[in-house]
Amino acid sequence: MNSAEKSALTISSAPEYILDNFEHTDRIAVLVLNREFGETIQRIINAQKAASPEFQAWLRYKNANGSDIYIGMNPLKKDAATRTKEDIESIKHVYLDLDHGGSKALEAIENSSIVPKPNYVLNSSPEKHQVVWKVEGINLEEAEGLLHAMVREFGGDPAATDATRVLRVPGFANKKYDTNFYVEARRESTETYHLRDFKLHIDSQDSLRHDNRARREPSPRTNLSQSEHDWAFAKRALARGDDPEEIIGQIAEHRAKS
């Protein structure tokens, strides 16, 4: 099999996907989210353990019982206990979550001359895709500026523009639908890219302005209590796959300022 043939493989194995995207010793966040029961479990472990038969058997059990499976796409520091920006060790991936536009949005990316060929395209649900590029030599600010630039250029979920975002894992069922939809990943490239390979206008202040704007914007006036507002915020954040401890911290910070 030549290199061109190898780069067009469909990957349905979670261990293969994990070990192709991370070093064995990289510490990564694995998120297990059950929306029906409001259960969120996060495990921060090295990639070798995440790909191990024992851990994968536990993930399959949780998935079969209604939980969605996600991983953080950037390794965490050796002493990290949470998945915040301060915990990120290095930037290894940038990505787009194409929740609108489906095949047309994906075609625009694959025919574009301003971004390189993706390493992986995940078919995450009907007409929805997650697009992943391996990168090196990019810092957190540059990565988030690039994520914002790609969302502006190609569309996609603007919530998926932070370096701590979790994405789906091939081989597991998407549990957001009545019928199981099993996630697959198509490998399109084996290259590792640099910032210069993305010919987009990148505003390094994008993520900073986004974070500040989110903090400044007041919540709409309603008759809900503060606790009800907090619970509504927490449910939305959990549905996005945000870290529960980070959500608690954001609620506490908001209450302190209000």
Side-chain angles (χ1 to χ4, degrees), residues 221-235:
R221 292 286 182 182
T222 70
N223 293 323
L224 297 178
S225 68
Q226 183 61 56
S227 294
E228 288 170 321
H229 277 298
D230 292 345
W231 176 233
F233 169 80
K235 286 195 293 184

Side-chain angles (χ1 to χ4, degrees), residues 129-130 163 185 238:
H129 307 280
Q130 293 177 338
L238 288 171

Side-chain angles (χ1 to χ4, degrees), residues 109-148:
I109 293 169
E110 295 187 325
N111 291 335
S112 174
S113 61
I114 61 175
V115 294
K117 182 181 288 293
N119 293 92
Y120 283 99
V121 174
L122 280 73
N123 193 10
S124 57
S125 59
E127 279 297 290
K128 294 185 179 181
H129 307 280
Q130 293 177 338
V131 187
V132 178
W133 291 263
K134 292 182 184 181
V135 296
E136 63 182 7
I138 297 179
N139 64 35
L140 188 146
E141 184 180 75
E142 291 168 337
E144 294 196 338
L146 178 55
L147 294 174
H148 282 277

Side-chain angles (χ1 to χ4, degrees), residues 15 22 36 42 88 100 114 156 159 175 194 214 218 221-222 246 251:
F22 299 97
E36 182 179 357
Q42 181 168 262
I88 291 179
H100 299 289
I114 61 175
K175 291 294 185 174
H194 299 83
R221 292 286 182 182
T222 70
E246 188 175 351
I251 291 172

Side-chain angles (χ1 to χ4, degrees), residues 198-211:
F198 296 84
K199 314 299 184 184
L200 291 151
H201 173 69
I202 299 172
D203 184 345
S204 62
Q205 296 301 308
D206 260 337
S207 57
L208 179 61
R209 283 199 296 268
H210 174 79
D211 290 344

Side-chain angles (χ1 to χ4, degrees), residues 14-30 43-53 55-56 59 71-72 75-76 78 92:
E16 182 179 355
Y17 181 75
I18 291 169
L19 294 178
D20 187 53
N21 280 288
F22 299 97
E23 300 294 331
H24 285 201
T25 57
D26 283 343
R27 297 187 76 233
I28 60 174
V30 180
R43 296 283 184 264
I44 298 177
I45 55 177
N46 66 46
Q48 186 172 25
K49 182 175 181 180
S52 69
F55 193 76
Q56 288 292 311
L59 292 180
I71 59 171
L76 303 174
K78 302 303 181 186
K92 286 200 170 181

